[in-house]
Amino acid sequence: AAVYFLRPPPPAVAAPGRAHGDILHEAGRSVGRVQTFDISGNTTKAGIAFTVEQGVMATLCEGIPVGATLVVNIATRPLPARMSTSDESIGVCKLAMEGQGRCPPPLDNAEPRPGERVFTVNVTPEGSIVLKETTVKGVVVEPKASVRFVEVAAPLPPDAVGGPLFDTNGRVVGVAALSPSDGK
C-alpha cells in the first residue's frame, strides 16, 4: 500500500488539440491572399492576411507600397481593403475591410515552447487554404524591439508571409515572417 501512495503521479498527458479539419475550416473563413495594384494596373502578391476583429485583417507591412490599392481574396471572393494602421516596431499592418471580419480566430498571447506543434498557413492560387504542421524550434527575443520570433522547423514559402501561425487549438500564436538576416 505504501508503494501505491508514495509513487509519483503519472505524467500529465497533453491535450491533443482540435482536429486539423476544424482549424482548416476556420482558417478558410478568416484567411486570404493580399494583392496590391499599382496605378498601371499591375498586380503583385503581397502575402497573406487574417481576420483579427470585425472588419479588420492583419498582415505584414513589408511588400505593401504606400498608396497601393489593396484587395484580399478570401477563397474566390475579392474584397477591397485599405491600410488603416501600421505598427512599424513589429512590421504588422491592419487592413480595414467591408464584408469581412465576422469570424476571427482566437488570439493567444502565450509563448509557444520548443517542441510544440504549430501550423503555418498558405493559400493556393485557386484560393484554397493549406495548413502545414511543423514544430517550434525556439523563441528568439529581438533586443532592439519588443518582438519575439518563433522559429519553426519547416521552411516558410515567401508568399506565406503575413499569415497566422496556429497552435493545435486553432489559436493564433504568431504572424509568419521571414528572417531579414537569412530569409528563413
Side-chain angles (χ1 to χ4, degrees):
V3 171
Y4 178 78
F5 288 107
L6 296 175
R7 72 179 178 181
V13 177
R18 295 180 50 208
H20 181 274
D22 290 344
I23 297 170
L24 182 63
H25 176 71
E26 285 186 14
R29 299 183 311 165
S30 63
V31 174
R33 167 84 49 211
V34 180
Q35 287 184 300
T36 64
F37 292 84
D38 63 18
I39 55 176
S40 302
N42 298 321
T43 63
T44 304
K45 290 180 184 176
I48 297 173
F50 63 100
T51 304
V52 291
E53 60 186 76
Q54 181 70 30
V56 179
M57 295 185 87
T59 189
L60 292 183
C61 299
E62 183 179 325
I64 299 179
V66 175
T69 301
L70 303 173
V71 171
V72 178
N73 294 297
I74 299 174
T76 57
R77 192 175 94 185
L79 297 168
R82 64 176 171 75
M83 186 162 339
S84 62
T85 61
S86 66
D87 186 334
E88 306 259 336
S89 66
I90 60 173
V92 174
C93 290
K94 288 186 177 181
L95 308 177
M97 305 186 60
E98 293 296 323
Q100 177 55 21
R102 296 179 308 267
C103 45
L107 302 176
D108 190 357
N109 289 330
E111 187 173 286
R113 294 184 310 263
E116 282 187 28
R117 293 181 315 139
V118 292
F119 298 96
T120 60
V121 177
N122 203 350
V123 180
T124 67
E126 298 79 29
S128 299
I129 303 296
V130 178
L131 295 179
K132 182 172 183 174
E133 184 176 324
T134 184
T135 56
V136 174
K137 288 175 64 175
V139 177
V140 179
V141 177
E142 176 62 41
K144 296 179 183 176
S146 59
V147 179
R148 295 176 303 203
F149 291 98
V150 179
E151 186 178 7
V152 295
L156 181 69
D159 62 348
V161 298
L165 182 67
F166 289 112
D167 68 7
T168 56
N169 290 307
R171 297 177 301 222
V172 176
V173 295
V175 179
L178 298 175
S179 169
S181 62
D182 61 8
K184 294 183 180 178

